[in-house]
Amino acid sequence: MKKIVCLSISILVLITACKSEKGNADAAPEPTGTENIAYKWGEMALEATALDTERFKPRPTITSRYLGLIFTAVFDAWSRYDENAIPVYLKGVDRRPSEEHNLKNKEIAISYAALRAMNEYYYTDQALFEEFMRSLGLDPDDKSLDPTTPAGIGNLAAQAVIEARKNDGANQYGEEAGSNGEAYFDYTGYTPVNNPDENVDINRWQPKYFSDGKGGKYAPGCLTPYWQLVTPISLDSASQFRPGPPPMVGSEQLEKEVREVIEIQANLTDKEKALVEFMRDGPKSVQQAGHWLKFAQDVSRRDEHTLDQDVKMYFLNQVTAMDAFIASWESKMYYDFARPYALVHDYFQGELIKAWGGPGKGVIEMQGEQWRPYSPEEFLCPPFPSYVSGHSTISGACSEALRLFTGDDHFGETVKLVPGSLTETDPANYGDTVVLEFPTFTQTAEMAGISRVMGGYHIQADNVAGLQLGRDVAQKAWEFYQKHLGTSEL
C-alpha cells in the first residue's frame, strides 16, 4: 500500500513539474534593450532635451538637472518594487510585498514617475509624453496618490522629487530673492570683469560677440553664473573636489598651451573636425548630460539590458552628470578664467598666424587678434568661464560611472559623421564621411575632452583638470548609488 501511495505522489510531482516547465516556456521573455520601457523613457527624455534646446537655446546646466531629477524619480518609484533599494526623496511609502515585484507593476510605476517629472521639467511637451503613455496602454490623467498601487507610487515618487528640489538654488521658479519671478534669473548679480569691447584683465573671462543670424551681433551673458549654488544629489558640496588654479598670464605653461590651441586648430584633419562637431553637437543638441545618456543607451542595446538594469544605470549616469555640472560650474565661477578666444587675441596681437578663417575660408593667414574657434558664427564659443572644461568634467564623470556600472571599460561604439556639416555653411566645404571609434569609456571621455582643445574652446589645463574633477565626482556618485541600492552588489 505504501508503495502505491509513494508512486502516486511521484507521478503527481512529475506532472506538476512538467506543467510548471511548460508554463515557463510559454511565458513571454522579459523585454530587453530597446524594447524595455525604461529604455523607451530614456528615448523620450532625449527627445525632450533636444526640443528644449530648440526652444530655449543650449542650456546644459539646466537640462542636466532635469535629466538627473527625472531618473531619480524613476528610480524612487522602482525602488518600492525591489527587495533592497532605498529611494532618494520618496518618503512614507512602504516597499511593496515580494509577490508584487513583477515587471508590469514596475513598468507602470516608472512610467507615471517619468510622466509627472517630465511634465514638470519639460512642460512644453506634455502632449508628447501623454501620447506616449497612451501608447503604453496607460491613462496619463490617472493622478492617483494611492501608495499601494504602481500608478500611485509613480505619481508620489515624482511629486516627492519635485517638492524636494524646489528652492535648491537652481531658481527654476524665479523664487530666489531679487528674481522678480523670472525663472533662472541670476540672483548673484555676476558681472564679468571684462566686456566684449575691452579686456582689462586677460586672466579673467571675456564675453564675445556672436552673429544673431540677421546681419547683426550680440554678446550673450554668462549662462547660469550661480549654478555652483545648486544643491548636489551625491556630493557633500559643490567645491568638494575643486581643482587647483589654472596657469596664469606670464607663466610658461599658459603661453605654451595657447600656442598649442592655434597649432592644433590650424591643422585639423577631417576626422578631428568630425570629433569636434560630434562632441559639440548641432541643432537639437541634447547637451553633455544627454550625450552620455545616449552612450548609456548604447550600452543597454549592446548588453540587452532589462528594465531593472536600465533604471539603475540611468539613475547613476544622470545623477553623476548633474553633480558633475554643479562641480564644474563651481570651478568655473571660482576662477572666472579666460578662454582661448581672448587669450590668443592677447598673446598674438599684431602677429601673423595661420588659422581657420571661418566658414568657407579654410586655413588662412591672419592677425592674431582675428583668430576664432572652429564654430559657426551663431555660436562661436560657450558663454561662460573656461576652467574647468564642462565637456571634460561631465565626460570624465559619466565614463567612469559607466565603467564602474558595467565592471569593464569596453565600449565599442562607432559613429559616422560628415566633417564640416555642423560648422560650414556650404556643403561644398564638407569633407568625406568618416567613422569615429570609441573603444573604451575612458578613451571616449578623453576624446570628448581633447575635442574642446581642438576646436579652440579650451586650453589643455581646462581639459586635464576637468577630466580629473569628473572622475572624482563619479567615485562619490558611485558610493551614493550603492547606498541607495541597499546592497554593495549591482
Side-chain angles (χ1 to χ4, degrees):
M1 183 67 178
K2 284 183 180 179
K3 287 183 179 179
I4 294 172
V5 171
C6 288
L7 183 60
S8 299
I9 291 172
S10 298
I11 292 170
L12 182 61
V13 169
L14 184 61
I15 291 170
T16 304
C18 288
K19 283 183 178 178
S20 176
E21 285 179 13
K22 185 177 185 302
N24 290 337
D26 290 344
E30 180 174 347
T32 59
T34 61
E35 296 306 308
N36 88 68
I37 283 181
Y39 181 96
K40 292 180 179 182
W41 278 111
E43 287 185 315
M44 292 302 297
L46 286 167
E47 177 66 13
T49 304
L51 291 169
D52 186 273
T53 302
E54 288 286 278
R55 292 189 181 97
F56 303 108
K57 297 185 178 180
R59 46 181 191 172
T61 48
I62 292 168
T63 52
S64 75
R65 177 174 170 271
Y66 290 171
L67 292 171
L69 298 183
I70 287 164
F71 288 104
T72 297
V74 166
F75 177 87
D76 280 9
W78 170 87
S79 76
R80 302 299 75 196
Y81 293 94
D82 181 74
E83 293 293 342
N84 302 299
I86 301 164
V88 179
Y89 295 114
L90 181 62
K91 310 295 180 189
V93 176
D94 293 335
R95 192 182 309 280
R96 300 307 301 156
S98 294
E99 58 268 22
E100 293 183 21
H101 295 184
N102 57 60
L103 180 62
K104 183 176 181 181
N105 285 340
K106 291 174 184 177
E107 289 177 337
I108 295 170
I110 72 162
S111 292
Y112 278 96
L115 170 69
R116 300 295 169 223
M118 288 192 193
N119 277 353
E120 178 73 13
Y121 299 123
Y122 292 118
Y123 56 87
T124 53
D125 288 302
Q126 291 185 11
L128 178 69
F129 312 138
E130 290 171 2
E131 182 58 34
F132 180 59
M133 283 289 280
R134 292 187 189 97
S135 77
L136 298 176
L138 300 173
D139 179 8
D141 295 321
D142 184 349
K143 298 181 180 178
S144 165
L145 299 178
D146 183 346
T148 68
T149 67
I153 287 172
N155 289 330
L156 285 165
Q159 182 184 81
V161 169
I162 292 163
E163 290 303 315
R165 297 302 301 199
K166 287 179 178 176
N167 304 297
D168 69 352
N171 207 19
Q172 179 184 347
Y173 307 98
E175 71 273 22
E176 297 289 345
S179 298
N180 295 321
E182 184 180 338
Y184 304 112
F185 183 84
D186 173 25
Y187 55 92
T188 64
Y190 170 78
T191 303
V193 169
N194 304 306
N195 64 53
D197 300 304
E198 187 180 15
N199 199 327
V200 297
D201 185 349
I202 190 60
N203 284 310
R204 305 286 290 278
W205 177 64
Q206 181 187 27
K208 287 289 187 179
Y209 286 114
F210 291 9
S211 167
D212 64 4
K214 303 172 185 176
K217 64 179 182 178
Y218 74 106
C222 184
L223 177 76
T224 57
Y226 57 86
W227 207 254
Q228 69 279 7
L229 302 179
V230 176
T231 304
I233 294 183
S234 67
L235 298 179
D236 297 334
S237 72
S239 61
Q240 185 172 1
F241 300 112
R242 181 198 295 156
M248 293 293 182
V249 171
S251 71
E252 189 176 319
Q253 181 186 350
L254 184 58
E255 183 175 355
K256 176 185 173 184
E257 293 194 11
V258 172
R259 190 177 297 276
E260 178 188 36
V261 167
I262 294 174
E263 290 173 357
I264 290 176
Q265 193 243 40
N267 294 284
L268 289 177
T269 65
D270 272 0
K271 186 165 278 193
E272 288 169 340
K273 287 178 181 178
L275 178 63
V276 171
E277 292 174 306
F278 175 74
M279 293 299 180
R280 187 184 71 216
D281 251 353
K284 295 189 75 175
S285 167
V286 292
Q287 316 301 311
Q288 291 87 64
H291 230 131
W292 280 92
L293 177 56
K294 278 186 172 181
F295 289 152
Q297 289 201 297
D298 293 338
V299 173
S300 178
R301 292 194 305 274
R302 181 193 75 184
D303 297 346
E304 288 292 313
H305 273 188
T306 62
L307 177 146
D308 288 358
Q309 289 172 305
D310 270 357
V311 166
K312 292 186 285 188
M313 180 175 63
Y314 298 156
F315 169 61
L316 170 64
N317 183 277
Q318 291 302 300
V319 165
T320 301
M322 175 178 160
D323 280 4
F325 263 107
I326 295 168
S328 171
W329 245 249
E330 197 283 331
S331 177
K332 285 179 182 293
M333 301 316 300
Y334 182 81
Y335 292 112
D336 194 34
F337 189 58
R339 285 188 180 267
Y341 203 168
L343 291 169
V344 171
H345 291 179
D346 183 75
Y347 270 87
F348 292 89
Q349 186 173 8
E351 263 190 64
L352 202 61
I353 63 171
K354 279 191 172 183
W356 183 71
K361 296 180 180 177
V363 175
I364 58 174
E365 285 194 336
M366 64 174 70
Q367 295 292 314
E369 60 269 32
Q370 295 174 318
W371 182 91
R372 49 169 295 161
Y374 178 72
S375 275
E377 302 284 355
E378 290 79 15
F379 195 82
L380 279 167
C381 192
F384 39 82
S386 184
Y387 185 81
V388 293
S389 163
H391 275 69
S392 301
T393 306
I394 281 64
S395 297
C398 291
S399 65
E400 183 69 0
L402 286 174
R403 186 188 70 80
L404 290 166
F405 182 87
T406 61
D408 191 333
D409 200 25
H410 173 66
F411 187 26
E413 280 300 309
T414 59
V415 174
K416 288 184 179 180
L417 216 69
V418 177
S421 59
L422 297 179
T423 306
E424 299 284 355
T425 53
D426 185 348
N429 295 313
Y430 295 175
D432 294 330
T433 299
V434 300
V435 177
L436 300 177
E437 297 177 350
F438 304 113
T440 68
F441 297 125
T442 299
Q443 287 172 284
T444 303
E446 289 169 352
M447 290 167 73
I450 197 62
S451 78
R452 306 303 283 171
V453 180
M454 291 174 176
Y457 316 113
H458 287 284
I459 59 171
Q460 271 286 17
D462 302 341
N463 172 37
V464 172
L467 286 169
Q468 186 57 53
L469 174 58
R471 288 163 184 154
D472 289 340
V473 169
Q475 290 294 331
K476 188 68 177 177
W478 178 249
E479 292 173 15
F480 174 86
Y481 165 75
Q482 290 185 306
K483 171 188 168 186
H484 282 279
L485 279 187
T487 172
S488 60
E489 299 292 326
L490 267 179

